[in-house]
Amino acid sequence: MAQVITFGNFKGGVGKTTSSVMFAYILQEQGYKTLLVDLDPQANSTSFLANTFEVSLNNFVSIYEAMEMEDLSKAVLSMSANLDLLPSAVDLVKFGDLLNQKNKGHAGNKHYYFDYLLGELKDNYDFVIIDVPPTISENTNNALVASNYSLIIMQSEPDSLAGAIDFNDYIKGMKQFNPDLEVLGVLPYLVNKRSKIDEYILEKSLSEDLNIKDLVFKSHIYERERVKRFRINGITSSNNRDFHDKKTLKMYEKVVKEFLKRMDEK
Ligand SMILES: Nc1ncnc2c1ncn2[C@@H]1O[C@H](COP(=O)(O)OP(=O)(O)O)[C@@H](O)[C@H]1O
Ligand SMILES: [Mg+2]
């Protein structure tokens, strides 16, 4: 059975989309059957992944259309042998209205609709990774209800720390709808080794605010120019990688390794 993970923080621009795509990419390279679900109407992970695998987005069934038809499999787009995508488009802004119409799933509660549809589809995968918008919305609620874990992305900036803390509290509240939901960890993102403020924020989060010392990943993601280039040109394929590509992928691979280890230890 698949492990379903939502990457979260109630703030934009902290690296949720980049992380979910890099994780999905690395997991499929390592032979894990992976599904990336784009639940953000901005569709950034959809374009990042399609760009990486040179898959055309001229004609596809969006995740919203598939949910309207009550069959997610209709939207599954193959990226590689081990990686599928449920692509998003701007029509996903209508998700809230769709839920009001459908009112399906467990106990007729609209938080359960995506989980209900993901149903048997998830048996095809080892991992299902969900990218969500940075707002409290039915998209996030539906993602969390369908998830075993959430990975909180924490940029070492005051606003993002607050976003991470809010997200952690929010997950506690969502447990009434999904008692199995657990925080897998908090991933420190774009930590600048030389910055005093970054160190201070990380320290602070470790001690008082989050009170979840054990949850903070030992491995971190740092700022790298190459990540920005990946977003424009796609992730460089294994036969074309230069020094910077390799270094950047190594950084994410290290975090994915810790992610797998933490899940193993659960
Ligand atoms: N490790 C990194 N190094 C440098 N830039 C990054 C890194 N990760 C993400 N970014 C950049 O940060 C911006 C926000 O990232 P994104 O993943 O879209 O955040 P979110 O999904 O949380 O809004 C993007 O422009 C992306 O290119
Ligand atoms: Mg995003």
Side-chain angles (χ1 to χ4, degrees):
M1 250 254 297
Q3 299 291 347
V4 184
I5 308 105
T6 296
F7 283 43
N9 185 318
F10 288 132
K11 187 172 181 279
V14 298
K16 288 185 297 298
T17 295
T18 308
S19 303
S20 49
V21 170
M22 293 301 293
F23 270 59
Y25 183 88
I26 289 165
L27 288 168
Q28 61 91 35
E29 239 183 21
Q30 294 181 352
Y32 295 105
K33 287 267 178 199
T34 307
L35 173 69
L36 184 87
V37 180
D38 192 350
L39 268 182
D40 185 348
Q42 287 198 28
N44 292 329
S45 49
T46 296
S47 54
F48 188 5
L49 218 52
N51 196 6
T52 293
F53 289 99
E54 293 173 11
V55 172
S56 160
L57 290 176
N58 286 332
N59 194 7
F60 66 98
V61 177
S62 71
I63 188 167
Y64 175 83
E65 290 169 315
M67 289 195 287
E68 207 173 22
M69 293 184 271
E70 301 185 20
D71 183 358
L72 280 182
S73 70
K74 290 206 156 65
V76 170
L77 256 185
S78 170
M79 297 286 118
S80 73
N82 293 329
L83 180 62
D84 287 342
L85 167 70
L86 281 175
S88 171
V90 71
D91 56 3
L92 193 59
V93 297
K94 297 183 288 183
F95 186 47
D97 295 338
L98 180 71
L99 292 175
N100 288 333
Q101 285 166 34
K102 297 283 186 186
N103 210 23
K104 273 231 171 88
H106 178 77
N109 186 309
K110 58 185 178 180
H111 296 346
Y112 295 87
Y113 188 56
F114 176 72
D115 184 46
Y116 160 77
L117 292 180
L118 189 62
E120 287 176 3
L121 182 66
K122 72 179 174 202
D123 294 342
N124 301 338
Y125 303 98
D126 299 309
F127 294 103
V128 176
I129 290 179
I130 311 178
D131 185 26
V132 293
T135 43
I136 297 177
S137 58
E138 270 313 323
N139 306 43
T140 315
N141 292 339
N142 270 262
L144 290 174
V145 165
S147 294
N148 307 91
Y149 298 108
S150 176
L151 179 69
I152 300 177
I153 309 291
M154 187 185 70
Q155 223 177 55
S156 37
E157 278 177 0
D159 274 7
S160 180
L161 176 60
I165 291 165
D166 288 350
F167 203 83
N168 190 46
D169 289 341
Y170 196 73
I171 284 170
K172 288 183 194 146
M174 285 310 283
K175 278 194 177 203
Q176 63 175 300
F177 303 105
N178 176 9
D180 295 338
L181 180 64
E182 273 188 82
V183 175
L184 182 66
V186 175
L187 175 61
Y189 209 86
L190 304 190
V191 182
N192 185 337
K193 276 178 182 156
R194 282 155 308 210
S195 155
K196 281 269 174 281
I197 181 84
D198 275 14
E199 276 174 26
Y200 168 75
I201 288 165
L202 204 59
E203 260 318 295
K204 194 161 176 272
S205 71
L206 282 168
S207 53
E208 359 157 349
D209 274 318
L210 280 166
N211 203 15
I212 45 171
K213 199 172 183 144
D214 294 344
L215 286 177
V216 178
F217 271 54
K218 308 265 179 302
S219 47
H220 303 165
I221 295 296
Y222 298 96
E223 187 153 20
R224 289 202 149 269
E225 275 310 306
R226 186 49 53 100
V227 177
K228 291 183 185 151
R229 193 162 344 146
F230 282 173
R231 286 291 290 257
I232 298 161
N233 298 337
I235 303 165
T236 316
S237 62
S238 57
N239 48 347
N240 283 320
R241 283 175 199 155
D242 68 11
F243 173 78
H244 295 290
D245 295 322
K246 286 179 188 159
K247 224 174 153 176
T248 302
L249 275 148
K250 272 234 163 66
M251 174 174 76
Y252 281 93
E253 280 161 8
K254 212 171 148 193
V255 172
V256 170
K257 194 173 166 193
E258 186 172 347
F259 163 91
L260 292 171
K261 186 164 165 272
R262 279 172 178 267
M263 221 174 275
D264 244 24
E265 288 166 357
K266 284 281 178 191

